[in-house]
Amino acid sequence: MTQSKMTFLLERLQTLQNLANWPNANVPVTALVTEYIPELCKVPYDYLFRDDAKAMAECTLLVQEYLKLDILTANMDVYNFEAEAMGAKIKFFPDHCPDFDRSDYFIKDAADLDKIRFGGLDQGRFPYLIEYCKAYKHYTGVDTFPIFSAPWTLAGNLYGIENLIMATIEDPEFVHEFLRRIVDDYHVPMFRALNEAIPGFAEMDFVDAFASVPMVNVQIVEKFIRPYLQRELDKLNMPGMRLMDTAFFGTAMLEGDERKRFEDFIIWSNGRFLCIDPDAASLGADYARAVATERMTALQIGISATYLEFEPIDNITALVRDYVLQAKAGPTPAIFFFNNISPNTAEEKIQAAVWAAKVYGAPGADDKTPYQMPEFLSFEEFLKYKLKNNPEEYTFEWLKKSAYSYLL
């Protein structure tokens, strides 16, 4: 792997490594992107999410380079992978993300818990995930790891989140057994198998949307959610393996001791304090910075996808500026985050917002630092450039399935 093939990603990784020099470091700009990748690349969702892992790797990297993001998290349809491999029915669509068949839940009662058993990496789309990781490594020289659904949220999708929450009251032993089966009988053998199949595998990455307030309360977090994340670590027993569990909202709905306990859970499970809209908008970026400073942990802050999609550019860049300046005004590193960019968001809005985060996230930048809109480059123009300047050696086979096929 030559260095020239890693040029764009090397620069992004350097930004992350420089956080060790905080406060003399730039604020990294990160984003969660799911639907935006197939929309921007104009390819059918089912083709990209199910049929061609190499195409997904290429499109993900192209979108990251185009948007100038330091980290791009491409979740794909992360909540479905384990369930699909167990035998749950997943529906695929050409124009939006795959999803569970919620008319017929995979787990209906305790007798169905025997279905929760890892059957090997040839099941479901595990081969797709492994191919994606290998293609990403081939194109960049950098390891990447699949993201999965955390035990609580996976249980909610298999059984129905309303049913699961009611069961915590009516049949808590069933919920404990349900979560224990997910950890012991599925996740632990799954992660051990992935560790052998994917070189450099070093992180348990989970998303946990159902662990948000008000879907759950702090008591559910402490009794049913955190213990089984800890059980993942204990049972896996792989020194050096990190836990990363994200997608929590609702801090602003809590007060006093309950808010502090939820903050502690977020920090424990993320390794930093995650506070993004709507919580950041309600409580203020100064609140988020104060929590990170008090706990001496990094802060990840960000604006909402709806704000980015619907507000004018001047409002967007002003809010990004304010969040970044307040977030970096502390002794611990700050990271800026765009949460799941909407597929209908204008390209120029994202470019303007990312550039604002970079301008005001630079060491020494303040509210008097001038901001000048970047020159807008359409994704089509970017693709034309990459077809002629392709050090990564992308195949661009996916363009044949794309509305950009005329570029070939």
Side-chain angles (χ1 to χ4, degrees), residues 164-196:
L164 187 64
I165 290 169
M166 287 302 300
T168 65
I169 301 167
E170 299 173 348
D171 193 358
E173 290 309 310
F174 164 74
V175 179
H176 282 297
E177 179 64 10
F178 195 170
L179 295 169
R180 186 196 68 76
R181 295 277 192 111
I182 288 173
V183 173
D184 293 9
D185 298 343
Y186 207 93
H187 273 166
V188 169
M190 177 192 78
F191 280 122
R192 286 179 177 154
L194 285 169
N195 184 57
E196 295 182 5

PDB file of all heavy atoms in Angstrom, residues 164-196:
ATOM      1  N   LEU A 164     -41.048  -4.379  25.128  1.00  0.00           N
ATOM      2  CA  LEU A 164     -39.874  -4.551  25.991  1.00  0.00           C
ATOM      3  C   LEU A 164     -39.960  -3.668  27.225  1.00  0.00           C
ATOM      4  O   LEU A 164     -39.660  -4.113  28.342  1.00  0.00           O
ATOM      5  CB  LEU A 164     -38.604  -4.228  25.194  1.00  0.00           C
ATOM      6  CG  LEU A 164     -37.274  -4.507  25.884  1.00  0.00           C
ATOM      7  CD1 LEU A 164     -37.097  -6.004  26.150  1.00  0.00           C
ATOM      8  CD2 LEU A 164     -36.109  -3.984  25.041  1.00  0.00           C
ATOM      9  N   ILE A 165     -40.369  -2.435  27.042  1.00  0.00           N
ATOM     10  CA  ILE A 165     -40.476  -1.525  28.183  1.00  0.00           C
ATOM     11  C   ILE A 165     -41.550  -2.023  29.150  1.00  0.00           C
ATOM     12  O   ILE A 165     -41.346  -2.008  30.376  1.00  0.00           O
ATOM     13  CB  ILE A 165     -40.769  -0.091  27.700  1.00  0.00           C
ATOM     14  CG1 ILE A 165     -39.533   0.474  26.995  1.00  0.00           C
ATOM     15  CG2 ILE A 165     -41.173   0.812  28.857  1.00  0.00           C
ATOM     16  CD1 ILE A 165     -39.765   1.764  26.261  1.00  0.00           C
ATOM     17  N   MET A 166     -42.681  -2.468  28.641  1.00  0.00           N
ATOM     18  CA  MET A 166     -43.726  -3.008  29.524  1.00  0.00           C
ATOM     19  C   MET A 166     -43.218  -4.241  30.261  1.00  0.00           C
ATOM     20  O   MET A 166     -43.531  -4.444  31.438  1.00  0.00           O
ATOM     21  CB  MET A 166     -44.973  -3.347  28.716  1.00  0.00           C
ATOM     22  CG  MET A 166     -45.758  -2.140  28.258  1.00  0.00           C
ATOM     23  SD  MET A 166     -46.284  -1.082  29.647  1.00  0.00           S
ATOM     24  CE  MET A 166     -47.294  -2.225  30.590  1.00  0.00           C
ATOM     25  N   ALA A 167     -42.404  -5.064  29.593  1.00  0.00           N
ATOM     26  CA  ALA A 167     -41.881  -6.277  30.229  1.00  0.00           C
ATOM     27  C   ALA A 167     -40.924  -5.951  31.365  1.00  0.00           C
ATOM     28  O   ALA A 167     -40.775  -6.756  32.297  1.00  0.00           O
ATOM     29  CB  ALA A 167     -41.198  -7.158  29.198  1.00  0.00           C
ATOM     30  N   THR A 168     -40.253  -4.801  31.331  1.00  0.00           N
ATOM     31  CA  THR A 168     -39.374  -4.433  32.456  1.00  0.00           C
ATOM     32  C   THR A 168     -40.180  -4.267  33.738  1.00  0.00           C
ATOM     33  O   THR A 168     -39.630  -4.412  34.835  1.00  0.00           O
ATOM     34  CB  THR A 168     -38.597  -3.130  32.169  1.00  0.00           C
ATOM     35  OG1 THR A 168     -39.504  -2.022  32.070  1.00  0.00           O
ATOM     36  CG2 THR A 168     -37.764  -3.249  30.920  1.00  0.00           C
ATOM     37  N   ILE A 169     -41.458  -3.978  33.583  1.00  0.00           N
ATOM     38  CA  ILE A 169     -42.344  -3.822  34.750  1.00  0.00           C
ATOM     39  C   ILE A 169     -43.053  -5.128  35.073  1.00  0.00           C
ATOM     40  O   ILE A 169     -43.105  -5.568  36.225  1.00  0.00           O
ATOM     41  CB  ILE A 169     -43.392  -2.717  34.470  1.00  0.00           C
ATOM     42  CG1 ILE A 169     -42.699  -1.388  34.174  1.00  0.00           C
ATOM     43  CG2 ILE A 169     -44.361  -2.577  35.648  1.00  0.00           C
ATOM     44  CD1 ILE A 169     -43.613  -0.327  33.593  1.00  0.00           C
ATOM     45  N   GLU A 170     -43.586  -5.772  34.039  1.00  0.00           N
ATOM     46  CA  GLU A 170     -44.437  -6.944  34.252  1.00  0.00           C
ATOM     47  C   GLU A 170     -43.662  -8.246  34.355  1.00  0.00           C
ATOM     48  O   GLU A 170     -44.112  -9.179  35.037  1.00  0.00           O
ATOM     49  CB  GLU A 170     -45.450  -7.039  33.108  1.00  0.00           C
ATOM     50  CG  GLU A 170     -46.371  -5.834  33.009  1.00  0.00           C
ATOM     51  CD  GLU A 170     -47.256  -5.855  31.765  1.00  0.00           C
ATOM     52  OE1 GLU A 170     -46.989  -6.687  30.859  1.00  0.00           O
ATOM     53  OE2 GLU A 170     -48.214  -5.061  31.713  1.00  0.00           O
ATOM     54  N   ASP A 171     -42.531  -8.352  33.698  1.00  0.00           N
ATOM     55  CA  ASP A 171     -41.765  -9.598  33.703  1.00  0.00           C
ATOM     56  C   ASP A 171     -40.274  -9.297  33.575  1.00  0.00           C
ATOM     57  O   ASP A 171     -39.632  -9.644  32.569  1.00  0.00           O
ATOM     58  CB  ASP A 171     -42.230 -10.502  32.558  1.00  0.00           C
ATOM     59  CG  ASP A 171     -41.715 -11.926  32.686  1.00  0.00           C
ATOM     60  OD1 ASP A 171     -40.964 -12.202  33.662  1.00  0.00           O
ATOM     61  OD2 ASP A 171     -42.041 -12.757  31.819  1.00  0.00           O
ATOM     62  N   PRO A 172     -39.673  -8.656  34.587  1.00  0.00           N
ATOM     63  CA  PRO A 172     -38.269  -8.248  34.473  1.00  0.00           C
ATOM     64  C   PRO A 172     -37.311  -9.417  34.280  1.00  0.00           C
ATOM     65  O   PRO A 172     -36.276  -9.266  33.621  1.00  0.00           O
ATOM     66  CB  PRO A 172     -37.995  -7.502  35.785  1.00  0.00           C
ATOM     67  CG  PRO A 172     -39.082  -7.946  36.720  1.00  0.00           C
ATOM     68  CD  PRO A 172     -40.273  -8.227  35.860  1.00  0.00           C
ATOM     69  N   GLU A 173     -37.654 -10.598  34.803  1.00  0.00           N
ATOM     70  CA  GLU A 173     -36.767 -11.742  34.626  1.00  0.00           C
ATOM     71  C   GLU A 173     -36.686 -12.170  33.164  1.00  0.00           C
ATOM     72  O   GLU A 173     -35.630 -12.605  32.685  1.00  0.00           O
ATOM     73  CB  GLU A 173     -37.237 -12.910  35.507  1.00  0.00           C
ATOM     74  CG  GLU A 173     -37.013 -12.664  36.996  1.00  0.00           C
ATOM     75  CD  GLU A 173     -35.574 -12.243  37.298  1.00  0.00           C
ATOM     76  OE1 GLU A 173     -34.640 -12.933  36.827  1.00  0.00           O
ATOM     77  OE2 GLU A 173     -35.388 -11.221  37.979  1.00  0.00           O
ATOM     78  N   PHE A 174     -37.795 -12.035  32.438  1.00  0.00           N
ATOM     79  CA  PHE A 174     -37.783 -12.318  31.004  1.00  0.00           C
ATOM     80  C   PHE A 174     -36.833 -11.353  30.289  1.00  0.00           C
ATOM     81  O   PHE A 174     -36.054 -11.769  29.415  1.00  0.00           O
ATOM     82  CB  PHE A 174     -39.194 -12.197  30.439  1.00  0.00           C
ATOM     83  CG  PHE A 174     -39.246 -12.093  28.933  1.00  0.00           C
ATOM     84  CD1 PHE A 174     -39.018 -13.193  28.125  1.00  0.00           C
ATOM     85  CD2 PHE A 174     -39.506 -10.865  28.324  1.00  0.00           C
ATOM     86  CE1 PHE A 174     -39.057 -13.093  26.737  1.00  0.00           C
ATOM     87  CE2 PHE A 174     -39.549 -10.757  26.940  1.00  0.00           C
ATOM     88  CZ  PHE A 174     -39.326 -11.871  26.143  1.00  0.00           C
ATOM     89  N   VAL A 175     -36.873 -10.074  30.648  1.00  0.00           N
ATOM     90  CA  VAL A 175     -36.012  -9.080  30.007  1.00  0.00           C
ATOM     91  C   VAL A 175     -34.547  -9.392  30.290  1.00  0.00           C
ATOM     92  O   VAL A 175     -33.693  -9.324  29.392  1.00  0.00           O
ATOM     93  CB  VAL A 175     -36.379  -7.656  30.459  1.00  0.00           C
ATOM     94  CG1 VAL A 175     -35.449  -6.634  29.799  1.00  0.00           C
ATOM     95  CG2 VAL A 175     -37.830  -7.340  30.118  1.00  0.00           C
ATOM     96  N   HIS A 176     -34.236  -9.740  31.532  1.00  0.00           N
ATOM     97  CA  HIS A 176     -32.858 -10.095  31.879  1.00  0.00           C
ATOM     98  C   HIS A 176     -32.384 -11.307  31.069  1.00  0.00           C
ATOM     99  O   HIS A 176     -31.253 -11.323  30.552  1.00  0.00           O
ATOM    100  CB  HIS A 176     -32.745 -10.392  33.381  1.00  0.00           C
ATOM    101  CG  HIS A 176     -32.708  -9.165  34.235  1.00  0.00           C
ATOM    102  ND1 HIS A 176     -31.696  -8.229  34.156  1.00  0.00           N
ATOM    103  CD2 HIS A 176     -33.561  -8.726  35.194  1.00  0.00           C
ATOM    104  CE1 HIS A 176     -31.918  -7.257  35.037  1.00  0.00           C
ATOM    105  NE2 HIS A 176     -33.037  -7.537  35.674  1.00  0.00           N
ATOM    106  N   GLU A 177     -33.245 -12.315  30.951  1.00  0.00           N
ATOM    107  CA  GLU A 177     -32.867 -13.501  30.191  1.00  0.00           C
ATOM    108  C   GLU A 177     -32.714 -13.169  28.702  1.00  0.00           C
ATOM    109  O   GLU A 177     -31.788 -13.661  28.032  1.00  0.00           O
ATOM    110  CB  GLU A 177     -33.909 -14.602  30.374  1.00  0.00           C
ATOM    111  CG  GLU A 177     -33.631 -15.885  29.598  1.00  0.00           C
ATOM    112  CD  GLU A 177     -32.362 -16.612  30.034  1.00  0.00           C
ATOM    113  OE1 GLU A 177     -31.765 -16.226  31.078  1.00  0.00           O
ATOM    114  OE2 GLU A 177     -31.964 -17.566  29.342  1.00  0.00           O
ATOM    115  N   PHE A 178     -33.586 -12.341  28.189  1.00  0.00           N
ATOM    116  CA  PHE A 178     -33.535 -11.881  26.805  1.00  0.00           C
ATOM    117  C   PHE A 178     -32.180 -11.218  26.532  1.00  0.00           C
ATOM    118  O   PHE A 178     -31.449 -11.578  25.588  1.00  0.00           O
ATOM    119  CB  PHE A 178     -34.671 -10.871  26.610  1.00  0.00           C
ATOM    120  CG  PHE A 178     -35.016 -10.550  25.181  1.00  0.00           C
ATOM    121  CD1 PHE A 178     -36.161  -9.811  24.910  1.00  0.00           C
ATOM    122  CD2 PHE A 178     -34.236 -10.957  24.099  1.00  0.00           C
ATOM    123  CE1 PHE A 178     -36.517  -9.480  23.609  1.00  0.00           C
ATOM    124  CE2 PHE A 178     -34.583 -10.646  22.794  1.00  0.00           C
ATOM    125  CZ  PHE A 178     -35.725  -9.897  22.546  1.00  0.00           C
ATOM    126  N   LEU A 179     -31.791 -10.271  27.367  1.00  0.00           N
ATOM    127  CA  LEU A 179     -30.543  -9.539  27.181  1.00  0.00           C
ATOM    128  C   LEU A 179     -29.331 -10.448  27.396  1.00  0.00           C
ATOM    129  O   LEU A 179     -28.322 -10.337  26.706  1.00  0.00           O
ATOM    130  CB  LEU A 179     -30.498  -8.337  28.124  1.00  0.00           C
ATOM    131  CG  LEU A 179     -31.559  -7.266  27.856  1.00  0.00           C
ATOM    132  CD1 LEU A 179     -31.609  -6.264  28.996  1.00  0.00           C
ATOM    133  CD2 LEU A 179     -31.301  -6.553  26.532  1.00  0.00           C
ATOM    134  N   ARG A 180     -29.450 -11.366  28.365  1.00  0.00           N
ATOM    135  CA  ARG A 180     -28.345 -12.304  28.606  1.00  0.00           C
ATOM    136  C   ARG A 180     -28.113 -13.182  27.378  1.00  0.00           C
ATOM    137  O   ARG A 180     -26.965 -13.432  26.980  1.00  0.00           O
ATOM    138  CB  ARG A 180     -28.648 -13.184  29.821  1.00  0.00           C
ATOM    139  CG  ARG A 180     -27.475 -14.077  30.219  1.00  0.00           C
ATOM    140  CD  ARG A 180     -27.898 -15.202  31.144  1.00  0.00           C
ATOM    141  NE  ARG A 180     -28.751 -16.168  30.469  1.00  0.00           N
ATOM    142  CZ  ARG A 180     -28.325 -17.094  29.600  1.00  0.00           C
ATOM    143  NH1 ARG A 180     -27.036 -17.158  29.274  1.00  0.00           N
ATOM    144  NH2 ARG A 180     -29.172 -17.944  29.052  1.00  0.00           N
ATOM    145  N   ARG A 181     -29.189 -13.630  26.757  1.00  0.00           N
ATOM    146  CA  ARG A 181     -29.054 -14.466  25.550  1.00  0.00           C
ATOM    147  C   ARG A 181     -28.373 -13.681  24.427  1.00  0.00           C
ATOM    148  O   ARG A 181     -27.529 -14.229  23.698  1.00  0.00           O
ATOM    149  CB  ARG A 181     -30.432 -14.934  25.088  1.00  0.00           C
ATOM    150  CG  ARG A 181     -31.171 -15.862  26.055  1.00  0.00           C
ATOM    151  CD  ARG A 181     -30.749 -17.288  25.935  1.00  0.00           C
ATOM    152  NE  ARG A 181     -31.669 -18.153  26.676  1.00  0.00           N
ATOM    153  CZ  ARG A 181     -32.519 -19.010  26.125  1.00  0.00           C
ATOM    154  NH1 ARG A 181     -32.579 -19.116  24.805  1.00  0.00           N
ATOM    155  NH2 ARG A 181     -33.320 -19.749  26.862  1.00  0.00           N
ATOM    156  N   ILE A 182     -28.769 -12.420  24.241  1.00  0.00           N
ATOM    157  CA  ILE A 182     -28.156 -11.598  23.196  1.00  0.00           C
ATOM    158  C   ILE A 182     -26.656 -11.482  23.416  1.00  0.00           C
ATOM    159  O   ILE A 182     -25.855 -11.636  22.489  1.00  0.00           O
ATOM    160  CB  ILE A 182     -28.821 -10.206  23.134  1.00  0.00           C
ATOM    161  CG1 ILE A 182     -30.228 -10.316  22.549  1.00  0.00           C
ATOM    162  CG2 ILE A 182     -27.966  -9.224  22.311  1.00  0.00           C
ATOM    163  CD1 ILE A 182     -31.025  -9.021  22.592  1.00  0.00           C
ATOM    164  N   VAL A 183     -26.264 -11.231  24.671  1.00  0.00           N
ATOM    165  CA  VAL A 183     -24.841 -11.058  24.968  1.00  0.00           C
ATOM    166  C   VAL A 183     -24.091 -12.381  24.876  1.00  0.00           C
ATOM    167  O   VAL A 183     -23.115 -12.514  24.128  1.00  0.00           O
ATOM    168  CB  VAL A 183     -24.648 -10.435  26.363  1.00  0.00           C
ATOM    169  CG1 VAL A 183     -23.164 -10.420  26.743  1.00  0.00           C
ATOM    170  CG2 VAL A 183     -25.211  -9.015  26.388  1.00  0.00           C
ATOM    171  N   ASP A 184     -24.540 -13.375  25.642  1.00  0.00           N
ATOM    172  CA  ASP A 184     -23.784 -14.620  25.781  1.00  0.00           C
ATOM    173  C   ASP A 184     -23.862 -15.513  24.543  1.00  0.00           C
ATOM    174  O   ASP A 184     -22.857 -16.110  24.127  1.00  0.00           O
ATOM    175  CB  ASP A 184     -24.299 -15.415  26.984  1.00  0.00           C
ATOM    176  CG  ASP A 184     -24.025 -14.722  28.306  1.00  0.00           C
ATOM    177  OD1 ASP A 184     -23.594 -13.553  28.288  1.00  0.00           O
ATOM    178  OD2 ASP A 184     -24.249 -15.347  29.355  1.00  0.00           O
ATOM    179  N   ASP A 185     -25.052 -15.614  23.970  1.00  0.00           N
ATOM    180  CA  ASP A 185     -25.270 -16.584  22.898  1.00  0.00           C
ATOM    181  C   ASP A 185     -25.098 -15.991  21.503  1.00  0.00           C
ATOM    182  O   ASP A 185     -25.016 -16.735  20.530  1.00  0.00           O
ATOM    183  CB  ASP A 185     -26.672 -17.199  23.011  1.00  0.00           C
ATOM    184  CG  ASP A 185     -26.865 -17.972  24.306  1.00  0.00           C
ATOM    185  OD1 ASP A 185     -25.844 -18.301  24.945  1.00  0.00           O
ATOM    186  OD2 ASP A 185     -28.024 -18.235  24.681  1.00  0.00           O
ATOM    187  N   TYR A 186     -25.059 -14.653  21.436  1.00  0.00           N
ATOM    188  CA  TYR A 186     -24.913 -14.061  20.109  1.00  0.00           C
ATOM    189  C   TYR A 186     -23.708 -13.129  20.009  1.00  0.00           C
ATOM    190  O   TYR A 186     -22.767 -13.388  19.252  1.00  0.00           O
ATOM    191  CB  TYR A 186     -26.192 -13.315  19.674  1.00  0.00           C
ATOM    192  CG  TYR A 186     -26.293 -13.294  18.180  1.00  0.00           C
ATOM    193  CD1 TYR A 186     -26.999 -14.262  17.502  1.00  0.00           C
ATOM    194  CD2 TYR A 186     -25.597 -12.348  17.434  1.00  0.00           C
ATOM    195  CE1 TYR A 186     -27.040 -14.296  16.109  1.00  0.00           C
ATOM    196  CE2 TYR A 186     -25.628 -12.365  16.048  1.00  0.00           C
ATOM    197  CZ  TYR A 186     -26.351 -13.344  15.399  1.00  0.00           C
ATOM    198  OH  TYR A 186     -26.361 -13.381  14.035  1.00  0.00           O
ATOM    199  N   HIS A 187     -23.720 -12.053  20.768  1.00  0.00           N
ATOM    200  CA  HIS A 187     -22.665 -11.052  20.580  1.00  0.00           C
ATOM    201  C   HIS A 187     -21.270 -11.568  20.903  1.00  0.00           C
ATOM    202  O   HIS A 187     -20.316 -11.310  20.155  1.00  0.00           O
ATOM    203  CB  HIS A 187     -22.959  -9.815  21.434  1.00  0.00           C
ATOM    204  CG  HIS A 187     -23.847  -8.826  20.747  1.00  0.00           C
ATOM    205  ND1 HIS A 187     -24.470  -7.793  21.418  1.00  0.00           N
ATOM    206  CD2 HIS A 187     -24.226  -8.692  19.442  1.00  0.00           C
ATOM    207  CE1 HIS A 187     -25.182  -7.081  20.569  1.00  0.00           C
ATOM    208  NE2 HIS A 187     -25.061  -7.604  19.372  1.00  0.00           N
ATOM    209  N   VAL A 188     -21.113 -12.267  21.999  1.00  0.00           N
ATOM    210  CA  VAL A 188     -19.767 -12.705  22.377  1.00  0.00           C
ATOM    211  C   VAL A 188     -19.167 -13.640  21.328  1.00  0.00           C
ATOM    212  O   VAL A 188     -18.051 -13.399  20.843  1.00  0.00           O
ATOM    213  CB  VAL A 188     -19.764 -13.334  23.781  1.00  0.00           C
ATOM    214  CG1 VAL A 188     -18.432 -14.032  24.068  1.00  0.00           C
ATOM    215  CG2 VAL A 188     -20.020 -12.247  24.844  1.00  0.00           C
ATOM    216  N   PRO A 189     -19.859 -14.714  20.909  1.00  0.00           N
ATOM    217  CA  PRO A 189     -19.265 -15.534  19.837  1.00  0.00           C
ATOM    218  C   PRO A 189     -19.143 -14.776  18.516  1.00  0.00           C
ATOM    219  O   PRO A 189     -18.206 -15.034  17.740  1.00  0.00           O
ATOM    220  CB  PRO A 189     -20.221 -16.730  19.723  1.00  0.00           C
ATOM    221  CG  PRO A 189     -21.481 -16.308  20.393  1.00  0.00           C
ATOM    222  CD  PRO A 189     -21.103 -15.332  21.441  1.00  0.00           C
ATOM    223  N   MET A 190     -20.053 -13.851  18.250  1.00  0.00           N
ATOM    224  CA  MET A 190     -19.959 -13.062  17.025  1.00  0.00           C
ATOM    225  C   MET A 190     -18.690 -12.219  17.014  1.00  0.00           C
ATOM    226  O   MET A 190     -17.949 -12.204  16.026  1.00  0.00           O
ATOM    227  CB  MET A 190     -21.188 -12.145  16.901  1.00  0.00           C
ATOM    228  CG  MET A 190     -21.173 -11.227  15.691  1.00  0.00           C
ATOM    229  SD  MET A 190     -22.451  -9.933  15.766  1.00  0.00           S
ATOM    230  CE  MET A 190     -21.686  -8.772  16.915  1.00  0.00           C
ATOM    231  N   PHE A 191     -18.414 -11.518  18.108  1.00  0.00           N
ATOM    232  CA  PHE A 191     -17.224 -10.668  18.169  1.00  0.00           C
ATOM    233  C   PHE A 191     -15.940 -11.500  18.122  1.00  0.00           C
ATOM    234  O   PHE A 191     -14.943 -11.082  17.531  1.00  0.00           O
ATOM    235  CB  PHE A 191     -17.255  -9.785  19.409  1.00  0.00           C
ATOM    236  CG  PHE A 191     -18.121  -8.569  19.257  1.00  0.00           C
ATOM    237  CD1 PHE A 191     -19.172  -8.342  20.134  1.00  0.00           C
ATOM    238  CD2 PHE A 191     -17.889  -7.653  18.251  1.00  0.00           C
ATOM    239  CE1 PHE A 191     -19.974  -7.226  19.999  1.00  0.00           C
ATOM    240  CE2 PHE A 191     -18.690  -6.535  18.100  1.00  0.00           C
ATOM    241  CZ  PHE A 191     -19.734  -6.312  18.982  1.00  0.00           C
ATOM    242  N   ARG A 192     -15.960 -12.663  18.728  1.00  0.00           N
ATOM    243  CA  ARG A 192     -14.771 -13.520  18.661  1.00  0.00           C
ATOM    244  C   ARG A 192     -14.518 -13.984  17.225  1.00  0.00           C
ATOM    245  O   ARG A 192     -13.365 -14.030  16.776  1.00  0.00           O
ATOM    246  CB  ARG A 192     -14.946 -14.710  19.599  1.00  0.00           C
ATOM    247  CG  ARG A 192     -14.793 -14.327  21.073  1.00  0.00           C
ATOM    248  CD  ARG A 192     -14.982 -15.502  21.990  1.00  0.00           C
ATOM    249  NE  ARG A 192     -14.758 -15.112  23.381  1.00  0.00           N
ATOM    250  CZ  ARG A 192     -15.295 -15.712  24.420  1.00  0.00           C
ATOM    251  NH1 ARG A 192     -16.081 -16.763  24.239  1.00  0.00           N
ATOM    252  NH2 ARG A 192     -15.042 -15.292  25.645  1.00  0.00           N
ATOM    253  N   ALA A 193     -15.588 -14.307  16.515  1.00  0.00           N
ATOM    254  CA  ALA A 193     -15.434 -14.724  15.121  1.00  0.00           C
ATOM    255  C   ALA A 193     -14.961 -13.560  14.251  1.00  0.00           C
ATOM    256  O   ALA A 193     -14.092 -13.726  13.392  1.00  0.00           O
ATOM    257  CB  ALA A 193     -16.766 -15.281  14.597  1.00  0.00           C
ATOM    258  N   LEU A 194     -15.508 -12.374  14.493  1.00  0.00           N
ATOM    259  CA  LEU A 194     -15.098 -11.203  13.719  1.00  0.00           C
ATOM    260  C   LEU A 194     -13.638 -10.850  13.982  1.00  0.00           C
ATOM    261  O   LEU A 194     -12.922 -10.395  13.087  1.00  0.00           O
ATOM    262  CB  LEU A 194     -15.994 -10.005  14.051  1.00  0.00           C
ATOM    263  CG  LEU A 194     -17.398 -10.037  13.462  1.00  0.00           C
ATOM    264  CD1 LEU A 194     -18.251  -8.939  14.071  1.00  0.00           C
ATOM    265  CD2 LEU A 194     -17.359  -9.884  11.947  1.00  0.00           C
ATOM    266  N   ASN A 195     -13.201 -11.071  15.193  1.00  0.00           N
ATOM    267  CA  ASN A 195     -11.812 -10.781  15.536  1.00  0.00           C
ATOM    268  C   ASN A 195     -10.850 -11.635  14.712  1.00  0.00           C
ATOM    269  O   ASN A 195      -9.736 -11.207  14.402  1.00  0.00           O
ATOM    270  CB  ASN A 195     -11.584 -11.030  17.035  1.00  0.00           C
ATOM    271  CG  ASN A 195     -10.195 -10.659  17.478  1.00  0.00           C
ATOM    272  OD1 ASN A 195      -9.754  -9.533  17.315  1.00  0.00           O
ATOM    273  ND2 ASN A 195      -9.482 -11.625  18.042  1.00  0.00           N
ATOM    274  N   GLU A 196     -11.272 -12.835  14.361  1.00  0.00           N
ATOM    275  CA  GLU A 196     -10.441 -13.704  13.529  1.00  0.00           C
ATOM    276  C   GLU A 196     -10.571 -13.352  12.044  1.00  0.00           C
ATOM    277  O   GLU A 196      -9.623 -13.528  11.278  1.00  0.00           O
ATOM    278  CB  GLU A 196     -10.837 -15.160  13.748  1.00  0.00           C
ATOM    279  CG  GLU A 196     -10.563 -15.667  15.160  1.00  0.00           C
ATOM    280  CD  GLU A 196     -10.923 -17.131  15.326  1.00  0.00           C
ATOM    281  OE1 GLU A 196     -11.284 -17.762  14.311  1.00  0.00           O
ATOM    282  OE2 GLU A 196     -10.844 -17.644  16.458  1.00  0.00           O
TER     283      GLU A 196
END
